[in-house]
């Protein structure tokens, strides 16, 4: 039937009716909040390019964790900013590394809070790349080594699991990383520790503020030889399929805002839980516009989150998590 018998506006006439027929919902249980933990004491430094996001030392971490739990946020994504770096990122897999110390402290403070550990080397290497580097002095070139890097990533993942991490989230984009880490975790007795695979991670301009936060800007070149070309969509399916085959428990698309088509594509082709990473520049752009009075921050953020969910995301990693949790409580 057509108009006037069919009147689509009938189901929009009041807040009650709109809520009753709403197709997509957002809850606090969908959220993961990223945290940046750093060396030192009494450190709470706002990241200049990410208003409201801080570097926190371990002695101030407990108060932050308590706030996260009070807001009902179920999980945090843990990043570490170490005191020192070297060519092989050794502090990424040391027992007393900053991530390992933070994981133990968080599980002691809030055992029920899920700790998702970012598993990469870029924050810990002196060159800022996600793997080991081979330098060819004669040719003046440098290559990011894939297979040799896997060994170090496995060591990092196992050390994080030993420290109490509930979920391992490898963000390195080395080929075969899921299989290597799955094997390493199983051999170490962590067969029940899930892997949240950064399956589709683009070489994106939207990471700029994060590199400020994680102190992980590459000292030479870029990451285009191992992160994906933003122009490619079908390749995302190949990346995700490889991770599923290798034993991933969750799949991620990063960034999220410019890649909702990719989120939808993965949702239609795979049945694993799907994670959208609302990355640093996506956060900072909204914050900057809101501070200038150009947008309604709450309205824009909540609409964006609903967009991620509608596209197919089951879980959203976002720096807005605390804001969203508070807004949901208000509602």
């Amino acid at each position: 039937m057509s108009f006037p018998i069919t009147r689509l506006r009938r189901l929009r006439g009041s807040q009650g009716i709109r809520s009753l027929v709403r197709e997509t919902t957002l809850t606090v249980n969908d959220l993961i909040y990223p945290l940046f933990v750093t060396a030192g004491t009494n450190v709470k430094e706002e990241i200049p390019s990410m208003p409201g996001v801080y570097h926190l030392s371990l002695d101030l971490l407990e108060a932050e964790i308590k706030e996260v739990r009070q807001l009902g946020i179920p999980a945090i994504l843990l990043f570490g900013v170490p005191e020192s770096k070297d060519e092989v990122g050794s502090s990424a897999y040391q027992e007393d590394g900053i991530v390992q110390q933070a994981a133990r402290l968080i599980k002691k403070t809030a055992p029920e809070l899920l700790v998702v550990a970012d598993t990469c080397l870029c924050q810990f290497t002196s060159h800022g790349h996600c793997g080991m580097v081979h330098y060819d002095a004669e040719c003046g070139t440098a290559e990011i080594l894939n297979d040799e890097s896997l060994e170090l990533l496995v060591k990092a993942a196992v050390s994080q699991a030993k420290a109490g991490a509930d979920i391992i989230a490898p963000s390195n984009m080395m080929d075969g990383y899921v299989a290597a880490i799955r094997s390493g975790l199983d051999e170490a007795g962590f067969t029940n520790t899930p892997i949240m695979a950064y399956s589709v991670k683009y070489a994106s301009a939207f990471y700029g503020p994060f590199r400020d936060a994680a102190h992980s800007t590459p000292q030479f070149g870029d990451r285009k030889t191992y992160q994906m070309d933003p122009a490619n969509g079908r390749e995302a399916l190949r990346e995700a399929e490889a991770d599923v085959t290798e034993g991933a428990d969750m799949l991620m698309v990063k960034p999220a805002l410019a890649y909702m088509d990719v989120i939808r594509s993965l949702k239609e082709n795979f049945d694993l839980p799907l994670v959208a990473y609302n990355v640093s520049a996506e956060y900072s752009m909204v914050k900057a516009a809101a501070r200038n009075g150009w947008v309604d921050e709450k309205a824009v953020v909540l609409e964006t989150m609903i967009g991620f969910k509608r596209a197919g995301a089951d879980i959203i990693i976002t720096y807005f998590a605390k804001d969203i949790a508070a807004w949901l409580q208000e509602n």
Side-chain angles (χ1 to χ4, degrees):
M1 295 291 184
S2 61
F3 179 83
I5 296 173
T6 299
R7 292 179 179 267
L8 297 175
R9 289 180 56 185
R10 290 187 187 119
L11 299 183
R12 304 171 193 159
S14 69
Q15 181 60 50
I17 292 177
R18 291 193 297 272
S19 297
L20 189 66
V21 301
R22 181 161 292 146
E23 300 173 15
T24 307
T25 58
L26 174 72
T27 78
V28 71
N29 291 320
D30 301 324
L31 306 176
I32 297 176
Y33 182 54
L35 279 176
F36 295 93
V37 184
T38 190
T41 57
N42 199 33
V43 177
K44 186 176 182 180
E45 296 176 346
E46 188 173 39
I47 298 161
S49 56
M50 299 179 70
V53 179
Y54 295 85
H55 288 127
L56 292 168
S57 54
L58 292 172
D59 56 310
L60 300 184
L61 186 57
E62 185 174 348
E64 182 76 1
I65 292 304
K66 288 181 177 178
E67 181 184 1
V68 168
R69 288 307 297 136
Q70 287 171 356
L71 288 167
I73 297 169
I76 59 99
L77 175 59
L78 190 57
F79 294 99
V81 181
E83 191 170 16
S84 61
K85 305 185 180 191
D86 57 33
E87 281 286 309
V88 295
S90 59
S91 58
Y93 43 85
Q94 290 173 347
E95 184 178 344
D96 62 347
I98 187 66
V99 169
Q100 289 78 0
Q101 291 185 63
R104 286 192 289 268
L105 176 60
I106 293 168
K107 297 309 291 186
K108 181 179 178 181
T109 303
E112 75 286 359
L113 182 65
L114 291 174
V115 174
V116 184
D118 176 76
T119 307
C120 196
L121 301 178
C122 61
Q123 299 106 285
F124 306 95
T125 54
S126 52
H127 46 72
H129 279 284
C130 302
M132 293 179 62
V133 177
H134 171 69
Y135 299 96
D136 189 325
E138 185 175 342
C139 298
T141 59
E143 178 188 1
I144 313 304
L145 300 174
N146 191 93
D147 296 10
E148 294 83 349
S149 300
L150 294 179
E151 299 177 15
L152 302 184
L153 293 165
V154 170
K155 291 175 65 175
V158 171
S159 71
Q160 291 167 343
K162 286 181 177 178
D166 299 286
I167 299 171
I168 298 300
S171 61
N172 54 85
M173 286 299 284
M174 298 294 122
D175 289 340
Y177 73 100
V178 173
I181 290 173
R182 181 73 273 156
S183 177
L185 289 172
D186 291 352
E187 289 176 8
F190 296 102
T191 56
N192 293 323
T193 300
I195 295 175
M196 179 188 288
Y198 280 66
S199 302
V200 183
K201 182 178 180 181
Y202 287 93
S204 173
F206 285 90
Y207 301 150
F210 173 87
R211 291 173 183 171
D212 184 20
H215 298 173
S216 61
T217 302
Q219 298 303 299
F220 63 87
D222 53 42
R223 298 188 174 124
K224 293 180 180 179
T225 62
Y226 47 102
Q227 295 178 358
M228 283 180 54
D229 184 341
N232 293 354
R234 295 192 304 274
E235 184 184 1
L237 295 177
R238 298 199 297 274
E239 286 279 4
E241 184 177 17
D243 288 355
V244 171
T245 302
E246 292 175 19
D249 300 283
M250 309 177 205
L251 305 177
M252 186 192 300
V253 175
K254 178 182 180 183
L257 193 59
Y259 299 90
M260 287 202 197
D261 61 319
V262 178
I263 295 172
R264 169 52 58 185
S265 183
L266 262 64
K267 188 69 170 182
E268 292 174 346
N269 284 276
F270 304 100
D271 59 5
L272 295 184
L274 184 55
V275 185
Y277 198 142
N278 179 215
V279 299
S280 57
E282 296 170 5
Y283 170 87
S284 297
M285 290 189 300
V286 174
K287 284 289 186 183
R291 287 190 171 191
N292 280 285
W294 297 337
V295 299
D296 179 330
E297 180 178 348
K298 176 181 175 181
V300 166
V301 171
L302 292 179
E303 184 176 337
T304 302
M305 298 302 129
I306 285 291
F308 296 150
K309 292 293 299 291
R310 192 184 64 251
D314 302 295
I315 302 163
I316 302 170
I317 300 171
T318 178
Y319 303 97
F320 287 112
K322 290 200 299 183
D323 295 327
I324 294 167
W327 293 330
L328 292 176
Q329 286 183 2
E330 289 174 5
N331 292 339

